[in-house]
Amino acid sequence: MAFSASLSSHIPFHSNPTILSPKRSKPIKTMLPPPAAIAPLSTATTTSIPDFSTVAVISGGSIAALAALLSLADPERRRRLQAEEVGGGDKDVVREYFNNSGFQRWKKIYGETDDVNKVQRDIRLGHAKTVENVMNMLTEEGSLRGVTVCDAGCGTGSLSIPLAKEGAIVSASDISAAMVAEAKKQAEEQLSAGNEGETPVLPKFEVKDLESLDGKYDTVVCLDVLIHYPQNKADGMIGHLASLAEKRLILSFAPKTFYYDLLKRVGELFPGPSKATRAYLHAEADVERALQKVGWKINKRGLITTQFYFARLVEAVPA
């Protein structure tokens, strides 16, 4: 399911990270995109944002104080209790959440209702920018008519429906039956009502987790789902998704940097209804290694940020 990479750490994080230029020995300053901006997708040689980008933001004394505060929090214990409540592990917690309270929350975020707060509206914008970027990546090389696409973790259909409108043959799945039902409903309404000319083929929606996906597709897309997988499991999921793709694999994930990791840990000090599932950050280098292990390479990459949403987007192709 498409899941915001905000981690529900509802803290603004505008910063001026230092990026090392491959041709200079001294660091140069650059600005992160402003809220609602997209870092342009680039070739795979683009320098990534380093993990030490915002060390200077916090003084030594403040770091020590924050470390002491973080040590008092016990998010792992809270997560264990969540798993025990539903009688399973991470996957069961995710399924339970997105079939119940999480479904109602994210249905609003992914929808068009005005009944959202500032944070939810901002996350909606961030996710929409991710979908827009993906659509640009997929259509820049030509028509999608007849192209087979697997939307792994489709949520309420925010990517599946635009793909179908472009003529793609879409297989969409989500671990949440409630999300799949909503996606199917939205697709039937948007793809059959008021369309001129040829009616698009409705996506095939199924209730499945990533591990259960099979078949072969021209393109596999998995947006904001790896946030539910620790790195050791994410490696396997990346390999599995790559095995389903013939030509390209597009992934988005919450990037693991010093700054974002700190925000995540601070956010865990203030648990609330939006923090009902575990959230895992992933270093871009780890994702790249997982792809290389199965014979794939990153072709394009970009960074999408708003005030409360951040996601690394990569396109991989067979090496």
Side-chain angles (χ1 to χ4, degrees):
M1 84 205 62
F3 191 141
S4 167
S6 69
L7 305 173
S8 300
S9 301
H10 297 160
I11 306 169
F13 49 88
H14 307 302
S15 62
N16 300 322
T18 299
I19 295 182
L20 296 180
S21 168
K23 296 183 179 180
R24 300 177 183 227
S25 58
K26 295 182 179 180
I28 57 175
K29 291 289 184 179
T30 187
M31 292 289 291
L32 269 180
I38 303 176
L41 290 172
S42 61
T43 61
T45 58
T46 301
T47 306
S48 302
I49 296 176
D51 289 353
F52 53 81
S53 60
T54 56
V55 173
V57 173
I58 306 174
S59 67
S62 297
I63 291 177
L66 182 57
L69 180 61
L70 290 174
S71 69
L72 298 176
D74 190 0
E76 287 301 321
R77 178 176 180 275
R78 185 165 67 250
R79 291 161 179 166
R80 286 196 301 270
L81 292 175
Q82 291 171 354
E84 290 172 3
E85 288 177 3
V86 299
D90 279 359
K91 186 192 299 185
D92 302 286
V93 172
V94 170
R95 182 185 291 109
E96 178 72 14
Y97 174 66
F98 283 101
N99 274 326
N100 295 286
S101 62
F103 167 68
Q104 296 301 328
R105 179 174 187 267
W106 291 96
K107 177 184 175 183
K108 287 198 307 181
I109 291 175
Y110 293 151
E112 298 179 353
T113 175
D114 292 330
D115 185 24
V116 288
N117 59 36
K118 176 183 176 182
V119 172
Q120 292 170 332
R121 189 180 300 277
D122 185 83
I123 293 172
R124 174 191 290 175
L125 175 61
H127 179 72
K129 290 293 183 182
T130 298
V131 171
E132 178 184 347
N133 231 334
V134 171
M135 290 301 298
N136 288 338
M137 294 168 70
L138 292 174
T139 57
E140 66 183 3
E141 296 180 3
S143 172
L144 291 179
R145 186 163 301 279
V147 174
T148 56
V149 181
C150 172
D151 184 6
C154 64
T156 58
S158 56
L159 176 63
S160 296
I161 294 171
L163 285 171
K165 287 180 178 179
E166 291 292 327
I169 307 302
V170 184
S171 296
S173 61
D174 200 284
I175 194 174
S176 164
M179 287 285 191
V180 168
E182 179 65 20
K184 185 176 182 180
K185 174 186 174 184
Q186 291 292 331
E188 290 173 346
E189 292 177 357
Q190 296 184 41
L191 297 177
S192 60
N195 287 310
E196 298 181 359
E198 184 179 350
T199 301
V201 178
L202 285 172
K204 177 184 177 182
F205 291 104
E206 295 182 284
V207 180
K208 284 187 175 182
D209 55 35
L210 295 188
E211 295 93 329
S212 302
L213 296 178
D214 56 12
K216 285 289 185 180
Y217 310 89
D218 294 320
T219 296
V220 174
V221 184
C222 185
L223 301 183
D224 298 345
V225 179
L226 292 178
I227 196 169
H228 300 302
Y229 290 86
Q231 190 61 52
N232 62 328
K233 292 185 178 180
D235 288 349
M237 288 305 98
I238 292 170
H240 177 57
L241 292 171
S243 74
L244 307 177
E246 298 280 6
K247 297 179 180 178
R248 59 182 162 186
L249 169 63
I250 298 176
L251 303 170
S252 74
F253 53 93
K256 183 178 179 62
T257 68
F258 175 87
Y259 187 48
Y260 295 158
D261 190 46
L262 182 62
L263 287 179
K264 172 179 176 289
R265 296 188 65 194
V266 171
E268 287 177 335
L269 292 173
F270 308 97
S274 63
K275 298 182 181 63
T277 62
R278 263 183 228 227
Y280 298 98
L281 305 181
H282 298 288
E284 185 176 346
D286 290 335
V287 172
E288 190 160 15
R289 276 193 293 269
L291 287 165
Q292 290 172 345
K293 186 177 180 180
V294 293
W296 286 64
K297 64 180 181 180
I298 293 180
N299 183 49
K300 295 179 182 178
R301 64 188 86 206
L303 179 67
I304 298 158
T305 66
T306 63
Q307 193 173 15
F308 302 104
Y309 175 100
F310 52 97
R312 174 63 74 182
L313 183 64
V314 299
E315 177 191 71
V317 296

